[in-house]
């Protein structure tokens, strides 16, 4: 289907979110993994999380060097653009210039790797705040924003940075809303399941300005650096 569509529109961008699992385990059948490896070859951009990147590459990531090697392996499978959407690394692996005040060994990062037309590889590490809670739709929002931002400049670093800014701002807005709701509902011992699910949905409409102007409130909360 993708190849057929691209034959009619060469400017079409296919972003593949390799949804397979997280936190060390698959939530799809193991037979799905080789299918994704095959799909990668026709994807312009792939957006695995750390576990998915490790699964697809059959390599582990415990350092920035490992992340570079894993993305290189994924490039060899066919995709010129790889974004590891959530990467967990020890704090001593993180360049000083992008460490946040609240950075710890449990912090998450976004790692991008793009094969440039001249054959060189441009890599970038992005740091961002995290919020305790469950948020529905962050992956879908991130992937859709990557499509929009990548079409602007064909720069994976810029696309990922702007997408992280938007998603983080909307997640924070949702988190603050959840916290306010929890205080109001403290007297209710067992809120209904419907109420709980509803409060996990991202506040997309309320966060419209953060989608339109991704760097509106990024300031020192989102930082990035190129990885050589």
């Amino acid at each position: 289907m993708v190849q057929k569509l691209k034959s009619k529109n060469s400017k079409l961008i296919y972003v593949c979110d390799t949804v397979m699992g997280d936190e060390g385990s698959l939530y799809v059948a193991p037979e799905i993994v080789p299918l994704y490896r095959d799909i990668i070859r026709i994807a312009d951009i792939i957006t695995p999380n750390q576990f998915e990147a490790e699964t697809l590459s059959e390599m582990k990531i415990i350092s920035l060097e490992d992340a570079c090697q894993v993305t290189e392996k994924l490039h060899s499978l066919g995709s010129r653009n790889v974004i590891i959407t959530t990467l967990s690394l020890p704090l001593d692996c993180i360049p000083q210039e992008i460490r946040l005040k609240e950075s710890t060994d449990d912090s998450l990062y976004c790692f991008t790797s793009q094969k440039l037309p001249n054959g060189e590889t441009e890599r970038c590490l992005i740091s961002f705040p995290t919020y305790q809670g469950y948020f529905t739709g962050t992956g879908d929002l991130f992937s859709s924003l990557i499509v929009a931002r990548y079409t602007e400049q064909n720069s994976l670093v810029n696309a990922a940075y702007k997408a992280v800014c938007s998603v983080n701002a909307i997640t924070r807005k949702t988190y603050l809303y959840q916290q306010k709701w929890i205080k109001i509902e403290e007297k209710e011992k067992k809120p209904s399941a419907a109420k709980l699910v509803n409060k996990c949905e991202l506040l997309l409409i309320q966060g419209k300005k953060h989608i339109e102007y991704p760097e509106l409130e990024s300031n020192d909360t989102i930082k990035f650096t190129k990885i050589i």
Side-chain angles (χ1 to χ4, degrees):
M1 175 63 74
V2 174
Q3 292 169 317
K4 183 178 180 180
L5 290 172
K6 283 197 169 190
S7 68
K8 296 182 178 181
N9 180 4
S10 60
K11 295 182 180 180
L12 182 72
I13 295 175
Y14 172 38
V15 175
C16 177
D17 187 2
T18 54
V19 179
M20 295 186 296
D22 201 0
E23 297 181 351
S25 61
L26 290 169
Y27 39 66
V28 298
E31 293 79 13
I32 297 297
V33 177
L35 293 179
Y36 267 121
R37 289 198 186 102
D38 190 47
I39 291 173
I40 286 175
R41 65 185 175 81
I42 58 173
D44 296 291
I45 304 171
I46 60 172
T47 59
N49 58 34
Q50 181 171 347
F51 171 72
E52 291 161 349
E54 292 174 335
T55 301
L56 290 167
S57 65
E58 299 179 294
M59 301 166 68
K60 294 293 291 183
I61 302 175
I62 59 174
S63 68
L64 273 177
E65 183 179 351
D66 292 338
C68 293
Q69 292 176 353
V70 164
T71 52
E72 196 63 35
K73 176 66 178 293
L74 296 177
H75 285 313
S76 73
L77 295 178
S79 182
R80 291 179 55 249
N81 301 287
V82 179
I83 303 175
I84 302 179
T85 56
T86 48
L87 179 64
S88 176
L89 292 172
L91 188 57
D92 59 10
C93 290
I94 306 304
Q96 189 68 42
E97 64 267 25
I98 66 165
R99 294 185 188 182
L100 306 178
K101 292 180 180 179
E102 63 270 30
S103 292
T104 68
D105 284 337
D106 297 321
S107 295
L108 296 175
Y109 306 89
C110 178
F111 186 85
T112 72
S113 182
Q114 180 178 29
K115 283 292 184 183
L116 302 176
N118 62 6
E120 295 182 358
T121 304
E122 184 176 64
R123 301 185 182 94
C124 176
L125 186 67
I126 305 171
S127 62
F128 54 89
T130 56
Y131 307 97
Q132 293 297 318
Y134 184 80
F135 307 97
T136 303
T138 53
D140 292 336
L141 176 60
F142 183 82
S143 295
S144 62
L145 288 173
I146 287 296
V147 174
R149 297 307 178 189
Y150 187 75
T151 56
E152 294 175 347
Q153 297 176 310
N154 283 351
S155 168
L156 194 65
V157 171
N158 290 340
Y161 175 72
K162 290 180 179 180
V164 168
C165 287
S166 294
V167 173
N168 197 263
I170 292 173
T171 301
R172 180 177 184 275
K173 184 179 288 291
T174 306
Y175 168 76
L176 294 175
Y177 173 68
Q178 288 177 349
Q179 296 305 302
K180 182 178 180 181
W181 176 77
I182 288 172
K183 289 181 180 179
I184 294 174
E185 295 291 322
E186 279 181 343
K187 295 180 181 179
E188 185 177 342
K189 293 182 179 180
K190 291 184 178 181
S192 69
K195 280 187 176 182
L196 291 172
V197 170
N198 177 262
K199 297 303 179 289
C200 293
E201 295 287 343
L202 290 178
L203 299 181
L204 291 177
I205 303 302
Q206 297 87 335
K208 177 175 176 287
K209 67 177 181 179
H210 297 295
I211 294 175
E212 296 175 325
Y213 309 102
E215 299 168 86
L216 187 64
E217 296 178 9
S218 60
N219 296 325
D220 292 329
T221 61
I222 313 291
K223 298 182 179 182
F224 74 94
T225 187
K226 290 187 177 181
I227 304 298
I228 307 300

